[in-house]
Amino acid sequence: METILDVKNLSVSFANKEVLHGFSIAVSKGETVSLIGETGSGKSVLIKSILGINYGSDTKGSISFDGKDLTQLDDEQKRELRRKSISYIPQDPGDALDPVYKISYQIKEIAGDVNVENIIKECGEESSVLELYPHQLSGGRKQRILIAMALAGKHLLVLADEPTTALDKPLKKRILNLLYRLKNKKGNSLLLVTHDFASLQGSDKIAVIYNGYLMEYGDCKVIENPLHPYTRLLRQAASYSKSDYKVSTGSLPNGACPFFDRCGLSDRRCEKLPKLEELSGRLVRCYYATKFVQGD
């Protein structure tokens, strides 16, 4: 498949402190790629770098979108790209909608001349919502409106930055299903950011990020049988089983694996940052990934 987004060796620093380290990820046309990691792992930094809104940052590497290097565009070109080609669904729907305009106006600003009522109905809303203001909507309804706005136009790529964080579990599932359904209908590419393993079911590829490093990258087998200790921690959504691990209490040596001080498998070898190596059809940054190839 043709690649629509290609991030290569991207490093991002703020005040001389590097927070994203040589990160690479690619999204093909029509593909869904999910980026998973804990809060503070660098997910939103990556999304904002793609959007060109990481103000005050120093960026190295390349971000190619539809054949254009976004790092070389000026501010006006970036705004035009966000308006026409890349849509964005933020974490907080409350802050994303303008409180002084009705929903109808805000959707038309993004979608142009398309039938707004049809878009609303596809998102499970009645046309009456178009005459409401954002403050009159619940969090779930606001998120549906944002998804409608993101997928209403002719954007090639949708960036969804933890779009279900503030929602309860049943509503979260409905919103994700809606996002996937409309994305597939439109043929958009989707880069979904999440910290929740349950959100990964519709993904073609999964990238695991920790402390600004890509730790594991592959297809849905990343869910079925993680090869990195950190990915396994995310899947369990709890501390490691004591029969398998003891959480290290040591400090993080300079140049070590970023997961060194949380992984009971770490030893002197891990004081040197592992390279991303191909293993079992995916990329993994761990000296001991082979331990998990044959099962849990």
Side-chain angles (χ1 to χ4, degrees), residues 13-181:
S13 301
F14 293 90
N16 296 320
K17 181 180 180 180
E18 192 170 273
V19 296
L20 202 63
H21 317 283
F23 197 91
S24 298
I25 193 172
V27 182
S28 297
K29 287 188 175 180
E31 187 176 49
T32 296
V33 176
S34 291
L35 180 64
I36 184 168
E38 295 169 305
T39 300
S41 59
K43 305 185 301 296
S44 294
V45 171
L46 174 64
I47 293 296
K48 290 179 180 180
S49 295
I50 296 170
L51 290 168
I53 57 175
N54 256 336
Y55 304 115
S57 67
D58 179 28
T59 301
K60 298 177 182 177
S62 66
I63 306 172
S64 177
F65 171 75
D66 201 23
K68 300 176 182 177
D69 188 348
L70 304 189
T71 64
Q72 302 301 311
L73 302 182
D74 60 30
D75 289 343
E76 181 57 37
Q77 290 171 319
K78 291 176 183 176
R79 282 192 292 270
E80 185 70 5
L81 196 72
R82 294 194 295 268
R83 188 173 70 85
K84 291 185 175 181
S85 301
I86 301 178
S87 59
Y88 174 50
I89 305 173
Q91 292 184 33
D92 187 353
D95 293 339
L97 295 169
D98 194 319
V100 301
Y101 292 108
K102 291 181 178 180
I103 298 302
S104 57
Y105 176 84
Q106 299 192 52
I107 294 180
K108 288 178 181 178
E109 279 287 288
I110 299 295
D113 296 330
V114 302
N115 190 312
V116 175
E117 289 192 9
N118 284 347
I119 296 171
I120 288 300
K121 289 178 181 178
E122 282 188 309
C123 290
E125 287 285 351
E126 298 295 330
S127 58
S128 57
V129 75
L130 295 171
E131 297 306 310
L132 300 180
Y133 291 90
H135 76 272
Q136 296 174 288
L137 304 178
S138 67
R141 297 185 76 186
K142 288 178 184 177
Q143 202 62 281
R144 284 196 288 270
I145 296 301
L146 288 174
I147 290 174
M149 292 170 66
L151 296 171
K154 298 180 180 180
H155 301 91
L156 298 175
L157 176 66
V158 178
L159 303 177
D161 189 359
E162 303 206 42
T164 61
T165 296
L167 307 180
D168 59 40
K169 191 173 182 178
L171 184 55
K172 179 182 296 188
K173 185 175 182 179
R174 291 200 297 271
I175 290 294
L176 282 172
N177 287 340
L178 171 65
L179 178 60
Y180 286 136
R181 179 171 60 82

Side-chain angles (χ1 to χ4, degrees), residues 22 139 150 172 207 222 284:
K172 179 182 296 188
V222 172
V284 189

Side-chain angles (χ1 to χ4, degrees), residues 4 8 35 63 133-134 162 165 183 193 197 235:
I4 189 69
K8 289 185 177 179
L35 180 64
I63 306 172
Y133 291 90
E162 303 206 42
T165 296
K183 172 260 172 189
V193 168
F197 243 73
R235 188 181 70 166

Side-chain angles (χ1 to χ4, degrees), residues 14 25 32 42 60 82 89 132-133 140 160 163 182 192 195 202 206 208 214 224 242 251 257 267 285 289:
F14 293 90
I25 193 172
T32 296
K60 298 177 182 177
R82 294 194 295 268
I89 305 173
L132 300 180
Y133 291 90
L182 292 183
L192 173 67
H195 63 266
I206 298 164
V208 182
L214 181 62
E224 299 165 6
K242 291 184 179 180
S251 59
C257 170
D267 56 20
R285 191 189 297 277

